[in-house]
């Protein structure tokens, strides 16, 4: 059997490795071997393939000889060229004594301890850092070492970027970090924004200092290479801690931003939820699908926990605050925004956003806003400033309608935007999401484990907003959106793929969904879906990280990577006991004497007397 025997419909998705008789998934987010029995389910759950294509996969596997699976897999020997369509993982650990490869330093230490009876040793003396591959990634992965010198990724394999690379002898470490950043198309484009030479010189110096202080291992990880955050932050002459202030929730003194946040959470989102509640079932199955031509079996529904919805809404409130703060910082907010007659038109061409990008406002921070977005946000800021002394509950219904309609239009316009394929961060939502990747508490960039939740929350509200924009139950007359009734659309017209859809509501909804909410497009949501899929893949491979770790001498522990010295911790405990003793003496009004605290009967149990409301240890008969 050869690669040419794979059906044409599957050749773009499945690769057959004839040497080892194993099937591999060719999708860029997977690139690993397939279990023959679960291949069809894999393409259904991970790639949302149609039923017909999944049947073709199942029939192909059944009609051919027995493929290798996890139980009878054959491991290639060390030192060969990489196997095609398998990820190449760098900086793994290979034992020098038996050439076994492990992915984590803890795993290789345990192996050396158990197999070679060594305890106190330096990891660099007993292991080498190598590139390796595995058929099935995960906790039980079996690795083999491969040669790093490859010529073609399409013919040999796909390279996973290294977490840390050692520069060649005589090479400057600073140049090793800066060259990949300054040579990217995005950095070249953003460098042209510096109109004055003095600002550009200062920017270069700040960038050099910023990169010199960065953690090289974290900044060269596969996740950061995929997201491209380094290209965004390398041209901004500000530390991460200062950039993180732009995306914080409204402060007490920011009355206007607080009002806009309340209008979004208490006025716009409840209307979106009402539309979601009354939308026909076929609409929701299409809304939940990231594919253009395949709907989901499970419909898009309301989140079960209100706390989850509040968390998702908070991300979009932070987005509104980020846009306005960025404009205020560079004095780009105009007090009397001019409006065009075309702005109130409800019908828009799919290429409208792309055309308006040519007249975009570009800030020194790299934030891009189209002419229409800039006009809308200035108008929203002006309306909020006029009524800012009032709280949301005190506003007239007409004011809520006006500000809410303008804000809904701005948010949907941010989603409904065409991007350049190589410059996704020219979109204001994507530029905001790059800033959401900053962990202000640790002054570092988030890993995929701590970022995919943000992407999922932004995606959920984006789908709600597009649903409200195309099928609003209550309507938004101020921006030309009429109310929709569920009786307007018979369900049989929505589920039939052979009969053309004639209903105008379904046409409008499908046009908006296919243009802005599916993958494979040059849109913010498509980029978000790509990052979300890659982040989930990394999360499955790497797993969760320990919150508390110890150093080798057991004198210091790290809580979420923050060092805590045990000596200082013991001193803090003694200080707490001393303060508690002082408080106790004050409560006893200076009465001296022995206090036998060890004889006081107390417990954390909730049974018996301890479960009675208002009962505490002072009321216990023993005490």
């Amino acid at each position: 059997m050869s690669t040419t025997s794979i059906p044409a419909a599957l050749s773009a998705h499945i690769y057959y490795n004839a040497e080892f008789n194993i099937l591999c998934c060719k999708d860029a987010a997977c690139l690993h071997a397939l279990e023959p029995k679960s291949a069809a389910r894999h393409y259904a759950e991970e790639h949302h393939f149609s039923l017909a294509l999944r049947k073709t996969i199942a029939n192909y596997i059944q009609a051919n000889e027995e493929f290798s699976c996890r139980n009878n897999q054959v491991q290639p020997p060390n030192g060969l060229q990489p196997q095609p369509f398998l990820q190449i993982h760098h900086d793994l650990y290979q034992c020098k004594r038996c050439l076994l490869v492990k992915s984590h330093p803890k795993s290789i230490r345990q192996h050396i301890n158990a197999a070679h009876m060594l305890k106190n040793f330096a990891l660099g003396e007993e292991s080498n850092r190598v590139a390796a591959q595995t058929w099935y990634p995960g906790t039980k992965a079996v690795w083999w070492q491969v040669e790093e010198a490859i010529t073609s990724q399409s013919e040999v394999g796909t390279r996973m970027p290294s977490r840390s690379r050692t520069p060649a002898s005589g090479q400057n470490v600073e140049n090793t970090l800066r060259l990949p950043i300054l040579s990217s198309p995005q950095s070249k484009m953003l460098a042209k924004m510096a109109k004055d030479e003095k600002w550009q010189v200062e920017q270069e110096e700040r960038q050099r200092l910023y990169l010199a202080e960065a953690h090289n291992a974290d900044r060269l990880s596969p996740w950061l290479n995929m997201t491209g955050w380094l290209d965004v932050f390398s041209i901004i002459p500000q530390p991460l801690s200062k950039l993180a202030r732009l995306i914080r929730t409204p402060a007490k003194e920011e009355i206007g931003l607080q009002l806009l946040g309340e209008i979004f959470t208490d006025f716009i989102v409840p209307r979106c939820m009402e539309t979601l509640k009354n939308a026909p079932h076929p609409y929701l199955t299409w809304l939940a699908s990231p594919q253009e031509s395949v709907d989901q079996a499970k419909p898009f529904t309301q989140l079960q926990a209100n706390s989850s919805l509040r968390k998702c809404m908070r991300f979009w409130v932070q987005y509104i605050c980020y846009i306005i703060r960025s404009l205020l910082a560079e004095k780009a907010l105009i007090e009397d925004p001019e409006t065009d007659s075309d702005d109130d038109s409800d019908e828009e061409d799919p290429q409208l956003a792309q055309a308006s990008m040519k007249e975009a406002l570009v800030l020194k921070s790299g934030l891009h806003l189209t002419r229409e977005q800039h006009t809308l946000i200035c108008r929203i800021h002006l309306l909020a400033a006029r009524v800012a002394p009032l709280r949301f509950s005190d506003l007239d219904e007409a004011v809520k309608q006006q500000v809410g309609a303008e804000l809904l239009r701005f948010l949907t316009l941010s989603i409904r935007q065409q991007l350049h394929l190589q410059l996704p961060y020219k979109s204001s939502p994507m530029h905001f999401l790059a800033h959401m990747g900053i962990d202000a508490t640790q002054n570092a960039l988030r890993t995929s484990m701590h970022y995919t939740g943000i992407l999922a929350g932004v995606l959920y509200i984006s789908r709600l907003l597009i649903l409200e924009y195309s099928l609003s139950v209550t309507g938004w007359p101020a921006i030309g959106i009429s109310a929709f009734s569920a009786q307007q659309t018979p369900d049989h017209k929505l589920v039939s793929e052979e009969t053309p859809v004639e209903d105008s509501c379904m046409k409008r909804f499908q046009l908006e969904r296919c243009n802005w909410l599916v993958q494979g497009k040059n849109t913010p949501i498509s980029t978000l879906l790509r990052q979300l899929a890659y982040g989930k893949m990394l999360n499955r491979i790497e797993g969760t990280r320990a919150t508390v770790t110890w150093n080798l001498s057991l004198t210091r522990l790290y809580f979420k990577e923050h060092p805590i010295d045990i000596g200082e911790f013991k001193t803090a405990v003694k200080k707490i006991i001393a303060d508690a003793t002082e408080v106790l003496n004050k409560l006893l009004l200076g009465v001296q004497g022995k206090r036998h605290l060890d004889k006081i009967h107390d417990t954390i149990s909730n049974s018996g007397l301890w479960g009675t409301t208002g009962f505490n240890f002072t009321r216990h008969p023993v005490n």
Side-chain angles (χ1 to χ4, degrees), residues 286-303:
W286 282 108
L287 184 63
S289 174
Q291 301 288 334
E292 183 173 355
S293 58
V294 180
D295 62 344
Q296 289 281 79
K298 184 178 180 181
F300 184 83
T301 58
Q302 184 176 353
L303 296 175

Side-chain angles (χ1 to χ4, degrees), residues 181 314 334 390 398 409 474 573:
I181 297 173
R314 186 176 73 244
I334 52 180
L390 299 177
R409 186 175 182 184
T474 54
V573 173

Side-chain angles (χ1 to χ4, degrees), residues 91 106 241 300 344 353 374 386 489 501:
D91 292 340
K106 182 178 179 181
S241 56
F300 184 83
D344 295 332
H374 185 214
R386 289 175 180 174
T489 307
V501 178

Side-chain angles (χ1 to χ4, degrees), residues 214-409:
H215 299 286
N216 300 344
D218 290 339
R219 306 193 67 148
L220 293 177
S221 66
W223 170 244
L224 294 182
N225 276 274
M226 189 272 172
T227 57
W229 291 342
L230 302 185
D231 292 338
V232 178
F233 297 127
S234 62
I235 57 94
I236 305 177
Q238 294 180 3
L240 294 180
S241 56
K242 188 173 182 180
L243 295 177
R245 299 174 190 171
L246 295 174
I247 59 173
R248 68 185 188 278
T249 53
K252 292 183 179 180
E253 62 274 9
E254 295 176 315
I255 302 178
L257 294 181
Q258 284 186 351
L259 179 60
L260 291 177
E262 291 176 351
I263 290 176
F264 177 73
T265 58
D266 299 338
F267 187 72
I268 295 179
V269 174
R271 283 195 168 198
C272 295
M273 302 308 296
E274 185 68 19
T275 300
L276 176 64
K277 181 180 178 181
N278 291 275
H281 183 271
Y283 284 86
L284 302 183
T285 57
W286 282 108
L287 184 63
S289 174
Q291 301 288 334
E292 183 173 355
S293 58
V294 180
D295 62 344
Q296 289 281 79
K298 184 178 180 181
F300 184 83
T301 58
Q302 184 176 353
L303 296 175
Q304 294 182 355
N306 291 331
S307 59
S308 300
L309 180 60
R310 288 195 296 269
K311 184 178 179 180
C312 296
M313 292 190 296
R314 186 176 73 244
F315 298 146
W316 281 88
V317 173
Q318 291 177 264
Y319 170 67
I320 299 170
C321 296
Y322 166 71
I323 298 296
I324 294 180
R325 287 182 184 131
S326 298
L327 294 173
L328 288 174
E330 301 195 24
K331 300 180 180 179
L333 276 174
I334 52 180
E335 297 181 357
D336 189 15
E338 297 181 358
T339 59
D340 297 336
S341 58
D342 295 338
D343 286 350
D344 295 332
S345 176
D346 184 48
E347 297 294 333
E348 294 187 26
D349 186 82
Q351 305 300 326
L352 175 63
Q354 187 176 12
S356 63
M357 284 296 295
K358 298 178 181 179
E359 303 180 12
L361 170 70
V362 183
L363 304 182
K364 287 186 177 181
S365 62
L367 174 64
H368 287 65
L369 289 175
T370 65
R371 175 175 52 84
E372 189 176 2
Q373 286 175 337
H374 185 214
T375 302
L376 277 174
I377 197 62
C378 290
R379 188 188 308 161
I380 292 168
H381 181 261
L382 182 61
L383 291 173
R386 289 175 180 174
V387 297
L390 299 177
R391 305 299 298 176
F392 172 76
S393 56
D394 301 329
L395 294 179
D396 295 333
E397 188 66 25
V399 176
K400 295 179 182 178
Q401 285 277 359
Q402 184 182 10
V403 181
E406 296 288 352
L407 189 56
L408 174 67
R409 186 175 182 184

Side-chain angles (χ1 to χ4, degrees), residues 406-425:
E406 296 288 352
L407 189 56
L408 174 67
R409 186 175 182 184
F410 171 75
L411 296 177
T412 54
L413 193 64
S414 300
I415 301 171
R416 302 165 65 248
Q417 182 178 355
Q418 291 282 353
L419 304 179
H420 190 282
L421 180 61
Q422 296 180 347
L423 303 174
Y425 291 105

Side-chain angles (χ1 to χ4, degrees), residues 355-569:
S356 63
M357 284 296 295
K358 298 178 181 179
E359 303 180 12
L361 170 70
V362 183
L363 304 182
K364 287 186 177 181
S365 62
L367 174 64
H368 287 65
L369 289 175
T370 65
R371 175 175 52 84
E372 189 176 2
Q373 286 175 337
H374 185 214
T375 302
L376 277 174
I377 197 62
C378 290
R379 188 188 308 161
I380 292 168
H381 181 261
L382 182 61
L383 291 173
R386 289 175 180 174
V387 297
L390 299 177
R391 305 299 298 176
F392 172 76
S393 56
D394 301 329
L395 294 179
D396 295 333
E397 188 66 25
V399 176
K400 295 179 182 178
Q401 285 277 359
Q402 184 182 10
V403 181
E406 296 288 352
L407 189 56
L408 174 67
R409 186 175 182 184
F410 171 75
L411 296 177
T412 54
L413 193 64
S414 300
I415 301 171
R416 302 165 65 248
Q417 182 178 355
Q418 291 282 353
L419 304 179
H420 190 282
L421 180 61
Q422 296 180 347
L423 303 174
Y425 291 105
K426 288 183 66 175
S427 162
S428 54
M430 292 307 303
H431 204 268
F432 160 74
L433 284 173
H435 285 68
M436 288 294 289
I438 301 174
D439 189 345
T441 59
Q442 301 186 24
N443 195 28
L445 299 178
R446 299 181 189 272
T447 62
S448 60
M449 185 64 67
H450 300 95
Y451 186 71
T452 49
I454 297 175
L455 294 178
V458 172
L459 176 62
Y460 183 85
I461 298 296
S462 299
R463 287 171 169 165
L464 271 182
L465 292 174
I466 293 298
L467 180 67
E468 177 68 16
Y469 183 82
S470 56
L471 298 172
S472 176
V473 171
T474 54
W476 298 85
I479 55 177
I481 299 178
S482 58
F484 164 79
S485 175
Q487 286 75 20
Q488 295 175 356
T489 307
D491 288 352
H492 70 273
K493 291 186 178 181
L494 307 180
V495 298
S496 176
E497 297 181 356
E498 300 177 357
T499 305
V501 178
E502 300 177 356
D503 185 80
S504 60
C505 294
M506 188 59 173
K507 283 184 178 180
R508 174 183 174 86
F509 170 73
Q510 285 288 43
L511 179 65
E512 295 295 332
R513 190 191 73 87
C514 294
N515 281 337
W516 314 114
L517 292 182
V518 299
Q519 58 189 12
K521 306 281 187 176
N522 295 332
T523 62
I525 298 302
S526 178
T527 307
L528 184 152
L529 287 169
R530 186 165 59 252
Q531 292 186 359
L532 182 60
Y534 189 82
K536 288 182 176 179
M537 182 268 294
L538 289 181
N539 295 344
R540 290 194 298 267
I541 294 176
E542 298 179 357
T544 58
R545 296 184 179 181
T547 304
V548 179
T549 56
W550 290 85
N551 64 349
L552 295 178
S553 59
L554 300 180
T555 59
R556 176 179 298 177
L557 63 85
Y558 295 86
F559 178 74
K560 293 184 178 180
E561 300 182 3
H562 289 284
I564 301 176
D565 189 80
I566 295 302
E568 297 177 357
F569 182 75

Side-chain angles (χ1 to χ4, degrees), residues 20-123:
F20 295 95
N21 190 35
I22 198 166
L23 297 175
C24 297
C25 179
K26 296 172 68 173
D27 190 273
C30 294
L31 295 176
H32 58 70
L34 293 171
E35 287 276 12
K37 294 182 180 180
S38 60
R41 186 173 71 250
H42 167 80
Y43 284 102
E45 297 177 353
E46 300 296 333
H47 306 296
H48 309 287
F49 278 15
S50 64
L51 178 61
L53 193 56
R54 299 201 304 268
K55 287 183 177 179
T56 304
I57 295 174
N59 294 336
Y60 165 70
I61 294 176
Q62 292 177 1
N64 291 275
E65 62 266 21
E66 187 73 20
F67 295 107
S68 298
C69 60
R70 188 187 296 267
N71 295 331
N72 60 358
Q73 62 180 341
V74 178
Q75 179 178 343
N78 292 321
L80 295 182
Q81 289 290 317
Q83 295 297 319
F85 297 103
L86 286 183
Q87 292 176 359
I88 302 175
H89 299 257
H90 290 270
D91 292 340
L92 274 65
Y93 299 85
Q94 184 178 39
C95 176
K96 290 184 178 181
R97 297 174 180 265
C98 63
L99 304 183
L100 182 71
V101 179
K102 292 290 186 179
S103 60
H104 196 273
K106 182 178 179 181
S107 302
I108 195 68
R109 282 188 176 276
Q110 291 176 346
H111 161 74
I112 296 175
N113 287 339
H116 306 296
M117 304 303 292
L118 297 178
K119 294 190 178 298
N120 297 324
F121 61 90
L123 194 59

